[in-house]
Amino acid sequence: MAHHRADEKRFMDERGSSGPLAPNGLNPATIMEKPVRERIIDSYFWKDQCFAVNEADIINRVVDHVNFIGGTYGDAQRPSPFLCLAFKLLQLAPSDDILREYLEFGGEKFKYLRALALFYIRLTRQAKDVYKMLEPYLEDRRKLKRRTRIGTSLTFMDQFADDLLTKDRVCATTLWKMPKRELLEDLDVLEPRVSPLGDIEDLLESDPEVVEGNNGRRADDSEESPGSEFGEVTPEPEGIHVDKEMGEKEKEHDNDEP
Amino acid sequence: MEMIVSILSLCSSMIILCPSSVWGNSEDSATTHRFHINNFEAPALAQPRPSFNHQQPCHCTYILPSSTLYNGNTTETSPLSANQFAAMSANKGAYETTASDTDFRKKYDRAEYAAKAAERESKEKEERKARYEAKLAGKKYHVPLTGNETLTEARASRLDVASNVGKVMLVPAGAATGKRGRGAGFYCQACDLTFKDNLQWVEHENSMQHLRAIGQTGEVRRATAEDVHDRITMIWEKIIDEKRADVKTLGERLEVRKMEDDKEREERRRKRRDLVEKKKAIKEEEVKVKKEYGDDVRIEGEHDEDDMMASMGIVGFGSSKK
């Protein structure tokens, strides 16, 4: 099939009865919840900017309009452009090649494009693919803006990827229940993950005081500005700040593993 | 009654039918009233007879004397037949022209319009049939595509509302009925519809009705991974260019200027080189052609000089004239 429909009518009408399913066996038209879906379709952004968009045009839209991640925001619970474009991706159902372009080539340049692709992969791909495709981006330390119903907060790409892997609700969407990583490792579907921090066994066996006293990381981040541990607003280079966040996140994530 | 009949026979007649509401009838709606009017004056016609009952509809026929119609043809006593009437109008007028009274009217090619009507009717009949068949099959009827439709493409720009702020536009009061016609609001040329707000407008632009009106299929080309790659590169380069253009300090501006100058100079150099090479190629071609004259096209003694010059590498003095 060389063409998409420009609007979403057929996609919504079929509701999985005749249309193709996502690789993880879910119906793409019902992955997002009905109220959210209806808000998306009613929104002006969807009608104006998501009409007749194909896989390449969606990059323009991301670059022009997406400057925060989030589900619905504000009192009116307006769907974010991020969510609208994720819904458009569900309709377009891009192939793995295109997703790789989004993640790697485009993702290096446009961070929200990578975030969108990560979100879409988590929604539609099989568990082993999700782990394989999302885990490399636990090392992407770029900042992201997250907007919720109440306000705006700072988050990071690695944190977002981790949320996608561990949480069950992200961006106004209930993520499908994935089997745990340990289970897939036991079934020999996945190789055990090697954390960038090193072998988890070694970390546990090493002197516990070093880990507890936060000195394990302190040794690396020797340039960290004084007073930052007390939550003071100290001007510091962005990279270091991100490093710290990253480190914590990695630790949390690794502790989940056996 | 007899008198009226005799008048009829005497006069060349002109018959005027009036709306029944103005001219009444006293007894019978089917009766035809005939009047003989000597001085043909329009206001006199407009006077209703007071004795008439205005409620009942009737047809009034007015017979005008021939003298009022045709210049002094009063000697004629016999009633004119239709043929004679037509012949009279075909006579030459006072200015000896052959043009008749109604020549200023448009002449219609009846055959052409009949053919057109037949074609339209057959088309409508076909469509009716297709509609009926679709209905029988329980489907919705769609006008078949012509094959000239283009694919739909994503919007390149957003609706520009801000540019119209503060503008005054005059719109005729009766121009639009409902959405149809050009009124105040967003006007769609292809569908002849006006919309009052941007949401309605964008919904209309997305509708199949509009897409068909502007000759689009409502389908979008599926992009490949290469397309995606190219698009990312394109956007990235655009952003880089913009960043380069958006510099603040003098030093940076000078640097940008220098880069642009270099690029321009390089371009000019390349053009010059191309031009020289092209000229050289043309010259070589000329020399080759001159050397390769076949014996059969030669006229004795004519090309000797050219050949000699060509063999010495001289082609001419830059003129292409011979």
Side-chain angles (χ1 to χ4, degrees):
Chain A
M1 200 175 72
H3 298 124
H4 300 293
R5 295 300 310 176
D7 55 11
E8 78 288 348
K9 291 202 178 65
R10 185 178 293 171
F11 177 60
M12 297 312 294
D13 283 351
E14 279 171 356
R15 263 176 261 129
S17 58
S18 57
L21 296 179
N24 60 1
L26 294 177
N27 171 12
T30 54
I31 283 179
M32 288 188 180
E33 289 146 23
K34 187 173 164 66
V36 173
R37 235 157 47 210
E38 284 178 355
R39 281 205 187 94
I40 290 173
I41 289 169
D42 277 344
S43 73
Y44 184 64
F45 182 82
W46 172 263
K47 286 172 184 169
D48 190 35
Q49 295 293 298
C50 300
F51 180 76
V53 161
N54 68 10
E55 293 90 338
D57 297 323
I58 223 168
I59 303 165
N60 285 60
R61 300 291 190 246
V62 170
V63 172
D64 290 344
H65 299 292
V66 179
N67 44 23
F68 62 90
I69 57 172
T72 54
Y73 66 94
D75 283 336
Q77 298 194 40
R78 279 147 54 95
S80 66
F82 180 83
L83 200 66
C84 291
L85 290 171
F87 189 63
K88 191 71 196 180
L89 275 184
L90 286 174
Q91 187 197 335
L92 298 179
S95 64
D96 280 351
D97 289 341
I98 291 173
L99 285 178
R100 220 164 286 129
E101 288 291 333
Y102 287 165
L103 279 177
E104 289 161 14
F105 185 66
E108 282 304 310
K109 298 173 168 61
F110 310 115
K111 53 186 177 181
Y112 286 105
L113 183 60
R114 180 175 284 175
L116 184 67
L118 291 177
F119 185 57
Y120 174 71
I121 287 169
R122 173 66 179 85
L123 294 180
T124 54
R125 293 307 189 250
Q126 287 180 10
K128 67 172 192 330
D129 296 330
V130 172
Y131 282 112
K132 271 186 199 159
M133 290 168 105
L134 259 57
E135 275 167 356
Y137 302 104
L138 288 170
E139 283 157 62
D140 187 347
R141 294 152 187 205
R142 283 180 292 182
K143 288 180 188 174
L144 295 174
K145 187 166 150 189
R146 169 184 288 171
R147 201 156 167 185
T148 58
R149 209 183 295 186
I150 319 149
T152 317
S153 60
L154 176 67
T155 179
F156 300 89
M157 188 75 80
D158 53 347
Q159 202 174 348
F160 183 60
D162 185 65
D163 284 352
L164 288 175
L165 288 174
T166 53
K167 288 195 175 170
D168 55 358
R169 202 173 157 78
V170 173
C171 291
T173 311
T174 305
L175 306 175
W176 66 283
K177 182 111 181 102
M178 271 199 319
K180 283 239 182 311
R181 193 181 163 85
E182 302 91 87
L183 188 70
L184 293 178
E185 281 172 15
D186 291 346
L187 290 171
D188 286 340
V189 178
L190 283 177
E191 296 290 313
R193 176 163 185 264
V194 181
S195 164
L197 290 178
D199 192 7
I200 190 75
E201 308 274 311
D202 290 349
L203 278 177
L204 289 175
E205 278 169 18
S206 62
D207 193 359
E209 280 179 25
V210 179
V211 178
E212 278 174 17
N214 257 353
N215 287 334
R217 284 191 296 125
R218 181 54 55 85
D220 295 333
D221 301 344
S222 53
E223 296 160 37
E224 197 172 5
S225 64
S228 62
E229 61 268 32
F230 304 115
E232 281 180 22
V233 186
T234 324
E236 58 179 7
E238 182 190 313
I240 293 166
H241 182 69
V242 176
D243 270 2
K244 196 186 70 176
E245 285 284 338
M246 175 67 202
E248 281 173 8
K249 191 44 65 187
E250 282 303 322
K251 208 179 74 184
E252 269 179 40
H253 187 66
D254 290 341
N255 286 346
D256 290 343
E257 292 171 6
Chain B
M1 197 61 191
E2 280 169 14
M3 191 194 75
I4 293 172
V5 170
S6 67
I7 290 168
L8 239 187
S9 62
L10 282 171
C11 299
S12 60
S13 57
M14 175 181 167
I15 293 166
I16 299 173
L17 290 172
C18 299
S20 55
S21 57
V22 177
W23 307 94
N25 174 18
S26 53
E27 294 135 35
D28 189 357
S29 65
T31 316
T32 304
H33 302 280
R34 296 191 169 90
F35 306 93
H36 185 217
I37 302 166
N38 282 318
N39 289 323
F40 176 57
E41 277 173 358
L45 276 174
Q47 299 281 331
R49 290 280 290 270
S51 62
F52 281 170
N53 174 11
H54 288 211
Q55 305 308 313
Q56 286 171 324
C58 74
H59 295 290
C60 300
T61 310
Y62 295 36
I63 298 134
L64 303 183
S66 61
S67 57
T68 58
L69 292 172
Y70 308 110
N71 279 337
N73 243 353
T74 45
T75 51
E76 209 173 86
T77 49
S78 63
L80 291 178
S81 71
N83 283 342
Q84 281 170 317
F85 197 88
M88 265 180 78
S89 62
N91 282 348
K92 286 186 178 173
Y95 296 103
E96 303 270 312
T97 55
T98 48
S100 70
D101 288 351
T102 55
D103 267 2
F104 63 90
R105 288 186 185 157
K106 191 182 171 190
K107 304 274 186 304
Y108 288 96
D109 183 354
R110 286 172 159 267
E112 185 194 336
Y113 281 94
K116 258 188 191 173
E119 193 189 338
R120 197 193 61 230
E121 268 168 14
S122 73
K123 210 181 266 175
E124 276 173 2
K125 195 177 172 189
E126 242 169 58
E127 193 188 317
R128 260 204 312 275
K129 199 180 164 202
R131 270 181 198 281
Y132 177 70
E133 279 168 0
K135 199 176 175 187
L136 276 190
K139 285 176 184 162
K140 193 166 184 267
Y141 173 76
H142 293 288
V143 181
L145 299 178
T146 57
N148 297 327
E149 280 87 359
T150 54
L151 291 176
T152 309
E153 280 180 1
R155 267 177 211 107
S157 60
R158 302 198 81 168
L159 183 61
D160 189 10
V161 190
S163 70
N164 288 329
V165 169
K167 253 188 206 171
V168 176
M169 242 190 243
L170 287 179
V171 179
T177 49
K179 282 177 185 160
R180 188 145 295 283
R182 172 155 217 164
F186 302 111
Y187 177 66
C188 174
Q189 195 94 46
C191 310
D192 191 32
L193 294 171
T194 307
F195 298 91
K196 300 291 177 193
D197 60 52
N198 62 342
L199 208 59
Q200 277 186 33
W201 167 252
V202 79
E203 270 175 11
H204 169 71
E205 280 213 314
N206 292 356
S207 69
M208 216 55 216
Q209 174 203 0
H210 175 74
L211 294 178
R212 281 290 143 80
I214 59 173
Q216 292 188 348
T217 53
E219 284 186 330
V220 188
R221 201 178 63 83
R222 192 176 275 268
T224 61
E226 289 86 64
D227 293 336
V228 170
H229 191 94
D230 294 345
R231 185 66 68 91
I232 291 168
T233 319
M234 199 189 79
I235 297 172
W236 184 248
E237 276 169 6
K238 207 177 118 210
I239 288 175
I240 295 290
D241 281 352
E242 272 170 17
K243 246 183 209 162
R244 208 178 290 138
D246 183 36
V247 289
K248 301 287 187 296
T249 66
L250 184 64
E252 281 174 326
R253 273 159 63 179
L254 283 174
E255 206 170 282
V256 168
R257 190 56 193 262
K258 191 162 167 274
M259 268 168 64
E260 276 174 10
D261 279 353
D262 283 351
K263 213 185 271 174
E264 218 168 87
R265 214 170 293 140
E266 180 61 36
E267 181 69 12
R268 245 181 286 155
R269 207 174 292 147
R270 198 183 55 76
K271 266 188 190 163
R272 218 181 302 137
R273 214 163 34 224
D274 283 1
L275 203 69
V276 167
E277 267 172 24
K278 213 192 263 172
K279 273 188 180 168
K280 208 172 158 190
I282 290 171
K283 259 185 190 171
E284 275 172 5
E285 192 66 22
E286 274 180 8
V287 171
K288 216 164 91 185
V289 167
K290 286 205 170 145
K291 276 186 172 173
E292 285 171 358
Y293 277 132
D295 285 337
D296 51 336
V297 296
R298 279 175 180 255
I299 303 166
E300 195 61 42
E302 197 192 314
H303 295 287
D304 288 351
E305 200 181 343
D306 282 347
D307 281 354
M308 196 174 65
M309 300 270 270
S311 64
M312 280 170 4
I314 304 163
V315 174
F317 294 104
S319 166
S320 59
K321 276 187 184 169
K322 282 270 147 137

